[in-house]
Amino acid sequence: MVLDYDVIVHQVVTHTVLVSVRQDWATGKVADDGHDDATQVGVIRIDTRTMTIAPLTVNLEDASIWSGTYAMFQLGAHHILEGTDHLLFLLILLLPAPLLATGNRWRGLASTRTAVGRIGRTTLAFTVGHSVALAVSAFGRLDIPAQPVEAFIAFSILVGAVHAIRPIFPGREAVIAGGFGLGHGLAFSLTLAEMHLSTSQLALSLAGFNIGIECMQLVLVLLTLPSLICLSRLHGHAALRTACAGLTAVAALGWLLDRLGLANPVARAADSAGTHTSQLLLVLVTGAVLARLWTVAPHGRGDPRRSWRFAHRS
């Protein structure tokens, strides 16, 4: 396209107009959560030799539906990676997956096969829940207030944290994940709604965005799965699980109050911690590796009492 623009420039010869694109779906330029990270495409200024203002030609010939779809795929992956609340809800539901519930307490360990099955069903249910809500709200062009959706998500994390301490819906984690996933899907749809896409662009964006979310979610689950199983085999797992769930509950309560209009330092601290997702996952994986090495290492090596008993029997 050709942009002919001379506002101010025709009167102030030193004035320069910077032309930028904030959002252009077909070239893979999408705006995320209102961040103004526009890309400059040209400059309009007066030619002091001829005192004319030449129009600016903007070339978008590299545009394609694949550029837009791939950009939405990247946005979806980035969204779940930085969406601390979504990721935390899933992880807190998966935390007691390797355990067996007896009465109102977590007692005993499930087999590895059972734990993997529970984690798979819970993850799949969460995926289906937010995918359905994302599609319905996006194609229905629903005008959903952000505050109640965000408050619902904080409440879901709080429920998951309580369940990790004391089982309140043992064996039904997949059902709960699917139900709460509907609310998380509404939050995802707010990102698409801000882009004001056409119906065809919305369909491709929905597919790319959702696939990006699921791929990143699958990667994160695969990274944490061995850690969750290894940590559940530790003798101090109950205390560690309770501590993690307690911290999550505090963060969720802070978020809930913040979403209801009561700003608090807990919510700000939780948001700050959420910017270090990769570091937190690294700590979890490292802890699991060390725990595994500790459990398989021969105990008592170098223990003088064992050495004495061996010598005494000889």
Side-chain angles (χ1 to χ4, degrees):
M1 67 179 181
V2 177
L3 178 61
D4 194 352
Y5 183 89
D6 64 355
V7 177
I8 301 178
V9 185
H10 72 292
Q11 293 290 341
V12 183
V13 296
T14 57
H15 187 73
T16 301
V17 179
L18 304 179
V19 182
S20 59
V21 174
R22 180 174 179 269
Q23 179 174 310
D24 181 22
W25 184 89
T27 58
K29 178 64 180 176
V30 295
D32 183 13
D33 295 336
H35 294 166
D36 189 11
D37 51 353
T39 300
Q40 185 173 321
V41 296
V43 178
I44 296 178
R45 60 167 59 93
I46 194 168
D47 186 342
T48 55
R49 293 174 302 175
T50 61
M51 298 304 292
T52 59
I53 305 170
L56 174 67
T57 299
V58 180
N59 188 354
L60 301 178
E61 63 181 5
D62 293 332
S64 70
I65 61 173
W66 303 114
S67 297
T69 305
Y70 180 65
M72 294 305 299
F73 171 86
Q74 292 178 306
L75 182 60
H78 185 264
H79 197 69
I80 194 65
L81 186 61
E82 291 195 344
T84 311
D85 45 5
H86 305 290
L87 184 59
L88 192 58
F89 169 72
L90 181 60
L91 291 179
I92 200 64
L93 272 188
L94 298 182
L95 185 61
L99 305 177
L100 296 175
T102 302
N104 61 347
R105 298 179 66 88
W106 294 110
R107 299 179 185 273
L109 298 175
S111 65
T112 301
R113 182 176 180 179
T114 300
V116 171
R118 287 177 180 172
I119 291 174
R121 288 191 298 271
T122 302
T123 305
L124 178 61
F126 182 63
T127 296
V128 172
H130 70 63
S131 296
V132 170
L134 179 58
V136 171
S137 58
F139 282 112
R141 309 281 183 173
L142 302 179
D143 186 12
I144 305 171
Q147 184 179 20
V149 173
E150 297 295 339
F152 178 81
I153 291 174
F155 175 73
S156 70
I157 299 172
L158 181 60
V159 172
V162 173
H163 175 68
I165 299 175
R166 288 293 179 91
I168 53 179
F169 42 81
R172 297 189 295 275
E173 288 84 359
V175 177
I176 300 301
F180 280 130
L182 295 173
H184 288 250
L186 295 178
F188 291 141
S189 69
L190 297 176
T191 300
L192 295 182
E194 293 175 351
M195 297 183 180
H196 306 289
L197 302 172
S198 66
T199 302
S200 59
Q201 290 176 339
L202 182 59
L204 292 172
S205 297
L206 183 63
F209 188 71
N210 209 37
I211 293 174
I213 288 175
E214 308 321 328
C215 287
M216 181 55 67
Q217 181 176 278
L218 179 60
V219 169
L220 294 174
V221 169
L222 290 177
L223 286 175
T224 56
L225 175 59
S227 303
L228 292 174
I229 294 177
C230 289
L231 291 175
S232 67
R233 268 56 180 173
L234 290 177
H235 293 297
H237 174 262
L240 180 61
R241 171 175 46 82
T242 302
C244 292
L247 289 175
T248 301
V250 171
L253 186 58
W255 275 329
L256 181 59
L257 294 175
D258 182 70
R259 274 39 168 185
L260 295 177
L262 300 175
N264 58 88
V266 174
R268 291 192 294 270
D271 289 332
S272 177
T275 60
H276 305 286
T277 305
S278 56
Q279 290 89 332
L280 294 176
L281 290 176
L282 180 61
V283 171
L284 177 62
V285 173
T286 303
V289 171
L290 294 177
R292 181 59 180 169
L293 292 176
W294 172 260
T295 55
V296 300
H299 296 288
R301 181 177 296 174
D303 187 341
R305 291 174 297 178
R306 291 198 174 191
S307 301
W308 178 84
R309 285 196 296 267
F310 179 80
H312 183 71
R313 286 196 298 271
S314 299

